């Protein structure tokens, strides 16, 4: 196998090769980030070590699983991170300004849920927005299909979430059932899994990759899962492709996905184009096409509510620190002005 063929098996594309024009190909070699650890990363590349320390300089490159980097063989060290085809990201938990990278350069996203109380339309809409923003092709995978009499209701609800979205319901333990996902997992292709804890992601990985990750049962009282995966890593699949696993995420705050939300909620955004006012909030304005569709029973009011909630969340999380401080400062000034006016009114009545 040639060096080029080896890279292509890892997911190398002409998009990345074009970025090497101005680099010394004798001293710098491309590698893919396979796993992240504290202070180090696992990589795969021709003639390179499997593990590299993350120095202060390399940490600044902000790499994540699935990234392509150039490794200076004289170190060896990471010299540069190549531009991405796309990236999954979310707002870091507990932070108002930082963004956490989840995975990069993914071709297909398996959005994993299960045929029980974990099935949550609002959560699936979040995952779909992330997939659309990154450019990955979304596939909703409903696991634990063997635990219910019929999966039709789950499949129908998921299919209505976005135009053309593909939905597969299966038993994640059954290789024959999981084979329906095989066309997305061939040589050079990268798939990622997103889903909350306990939906069967580790079981699905075991079947796809032929590995034996530990799995844990869900709690009986609320059907919520226990965390099994604690880090992000790439796994070789039996069909030749690569799979990126991610920890179960209870909180997935959106950031910088405004256009993707319009795509996921194409039914709502399409109706909004016919509203009388371009800045219609779809509340009580005259000539609101969205409200009219709800009144006719053509649009679910709850879907509009979720759309507006996600838009507001995305705008809030996408704000820069400077913009947020400026907004808070203006709001504080307005509040102080109102309080001062009230005090003046009280003084004038005495």
């Amino acid at each position: 196998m040639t060096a080029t063929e080896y890279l292509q098996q890892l997911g190398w594309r002409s998009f990345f090769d074009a970025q090497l024009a101005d680099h010394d190909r004798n001293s710098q070699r491309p590698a893919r980030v396979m796993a992240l650890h504290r202070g180090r990363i696992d990589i795969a590349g021709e003639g390179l070590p499997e593990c590299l320390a993350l120095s202060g300089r390399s940490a600044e490159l902000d790499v994540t699983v699935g990234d392509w980097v150039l490794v200076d063989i004289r170190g060896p060290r990471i010299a540069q991170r190549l531009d991405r085809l796309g990236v999954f990201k979310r707002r870091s938990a507990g932070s108002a300004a930082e963004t956490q990278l989840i995975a990069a350069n993914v071709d297909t996203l398996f959005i994993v849920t299960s045929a029980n109380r974990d099935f949550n339309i609002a959560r699936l809409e979040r995952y779909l927005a992330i997939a659309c923003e990154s450019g990955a092709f979304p596939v909703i995978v409903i696991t634990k299909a063997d635990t219910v009499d019929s999966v039709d209701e789950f499949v129908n609800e998921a299919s209505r979430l976005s135009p053309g979205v593909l939905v597969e319901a299966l038993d994640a333990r059954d290789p024959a059932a999981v084979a329906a996902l095989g066309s997305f997992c061939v040589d050079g292709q990268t798939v990622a899994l997103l889903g909350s804890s306990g939906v069967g992601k580790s079981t699905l990985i075991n079947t796809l990759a032929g590995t034996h990750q530990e799995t844990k049962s869900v709690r009986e009282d609320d059907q919520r899962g226990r965390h099994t995966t604690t880090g992000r890593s790439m796994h070789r699949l039996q069909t030749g492709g690569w799979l990126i696993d991610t920890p179960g995420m209870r909180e997935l705050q959106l950031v910088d996905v405004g256009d993707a939300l319009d795509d996921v909620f194409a039914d709502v955004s399409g109706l909004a184009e016919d509203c009388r006012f371009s800045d219609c909030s779809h509340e009580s304005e005259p000539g609101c096409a969205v409200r009219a569709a709800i009144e006719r029973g053509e649009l679910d009011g709850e879907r509009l509510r979720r759309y507006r909630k996600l838009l507001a969340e995305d705008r809030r999380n996408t704000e820069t620190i400077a913009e947020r401080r400026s907004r808070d400062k203006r709001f504080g000034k307005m509040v102080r002005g109102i309080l001062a006016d009230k005090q003046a009114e009280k003084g004038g009545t005495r």
Side-chain angles (χ1 to χ4, degrees):
M1 181 185 300
T2 67
T4 299
E5 289 172 338
Y6 175 65
L7 290 177
Q8 288 174 344
Q9 279 198 350
L10 291 172
W12 186 255
R13 310 283 173 79
S14 58
F15 172 82
F16 304 113
D17 196 66
Q19 299 179 49
L20 303 186
D22 299 327
H23 296 279
D24 183 356
R25 296 185 183 232
N26 293 320
S27 63
Q28 295 183 356
R29 295 179 184 174
R32 196 160 195 198
V33 178
M34 308 300 285
L36 294 178
H37 308 282
R38 186 181 297 275
R40 63 185 176 88
I41 61 172
D42 294 341
I43 62 171
E46 184 70 21
L48 295 173
E50 295 182 353
C51 182
L52 287 178
L54 278 175
S55 63
R57 169 71 182 90
S58 57
E60 293 175 0
L61 299 176
D62 206 16
V63 298
T64 190
V65 171
D67 266 326
W68 283 95
V69 296
L70 292 181
V71 178
D72 190 331
I73 61 176
R74 295 168 296 188
R77 62 180 180 84
I78 299 176
Q80 179 182 337
R81 173 180 58 78
L82 298 182
D83 291 339
R84 300 164 172 136
L85 282 169
V87 63
F88 295 110
K89 56 188 176 181
R90 67 168 179 172
R91 197 201 73 176
S92 299
S95 170
E98 296 182 1
T99 298
Q100 179 188 21
L101 302 179
I102 301 173
N105 302 313
V106 174
D107 299 298
T108 304
L109 179 66
F110 292 151
I111 300 172
V112 187
T113 184
S114 53
N116 56 22
R117 278 179 283 175
D118 178 84
F119 188 86
N120 185 292
I121 291 297
R123 186 186 302 135
L124 292 177
E125 289 168 340
R126 288 174 179 269
Y127 289 160
L128 283 170
I130 287 178
C132 289
E133 180 61 30
S134 74
F137 182 76
V139 179
I140 297 177
V141 181
I142 303 173
T143 62
K144 306 185 182 181
D146 56 303
T147 65
V148 294
D149 293 333
S150 174
V151 295
D152 291 347
E153 182 179 352
F154 296 102
V155 172
N156 291 338
E157 284 195 60
S159 299
R160 290 195 295 265
L161 290 180
S162 187
V165 66
L166 182 62
V167 181
E168 294 286 351
L170 47 79
D171 176 357
R173 302 167 301 177
D174 182 1
V178 174
L181 306 176
S183 60
F184 302 102
C185 308
V186 296
D187 277 341
Q189 290 292 299
T190 302
V191 299
L193 270 72
L194 281 181
S196 58
S197 301
V199 298
K201 291 197 292 98
S202 294
T203 301
L204 185 59
I205 290 173
N206 288 342
T207 306
L208 283 168
T211 57
H212 298 284
Q213 289 196 40
E214 179 186 1
T215 61
K216 295 183 180 180
S217 61
V218 298
R219 300 195 299 256
E220 289 296 332
D221 55 344
D222 59 4
Q223 294 292 301
R224 285 191 163 187
R226 302 175 177 88
H227 289 284
T228 301
T229 303
T230 57
R232 296 184 296 280
S233 56
M234 293 184 65
H235 304 263
R236 182 70 170 178
L237 299 174
Q238 297 181 92
T239 48
W242 294 91
L243 182 146
I244 300 178
D245 186 21
T246 60
M249 299 179 190
R250 295 241 178 263
E251 180 183 14
L252 190 63
Q253 288 281 310
L254 300 183
V255 58
D256 199 20
V257 296
D259 291 340
L261 284 173
D262 286 342
D263 292 335
V264 174
F265 292 86
D267 50 349
V268 181
S269 58
L271 286 167
E273 294 177 358
D274 295 328
C275 290
R276 180 182 301 177
F277 303 107
S278 59
D279 59 348
C280 183
S281 64
H282 318 308
E283 291 183 343
S284 57
E285 296 91 337
C288 175
V290 175
R291 300 304 308 182
I294 292 175
E295 292 170 3
R296 294 193 302 267
E298 298 173 0
L299 178 68
D300 183 3
E302 279 298 300
R303 183 159 167 82
L304 171 63
R305 183 191 64 78
R306 295 194 302 269
Y307 175 58
R308 293 173 61 184
K309 179 182 178 181
L310 293 180
L311 280 177
E313 177 183 307
D314 179 66
R315 285 194 295 266
R316 182 176 65 253
N317 292 338
T318 305
E319 276 186 318
T320 65
I321 295 176
E323 288 171 338
R324 185 172 292 109
R325 286 176 177 171
S326 176
R327 173 173 54 80
D328 292 344
K329 185 176 181 180
R330 290 195 304 270
F331 179 74
K333 184 176 181 180
M334 180 188 71
V335 171
R336 289 192 297 272
I338 292 173
L339 292 175
D341 290 342
K342 287 184 176 181
Q343 288 296 327
E345 290 176 0
K346 288 182 180 179
T349 58
R350 291 178 181 174

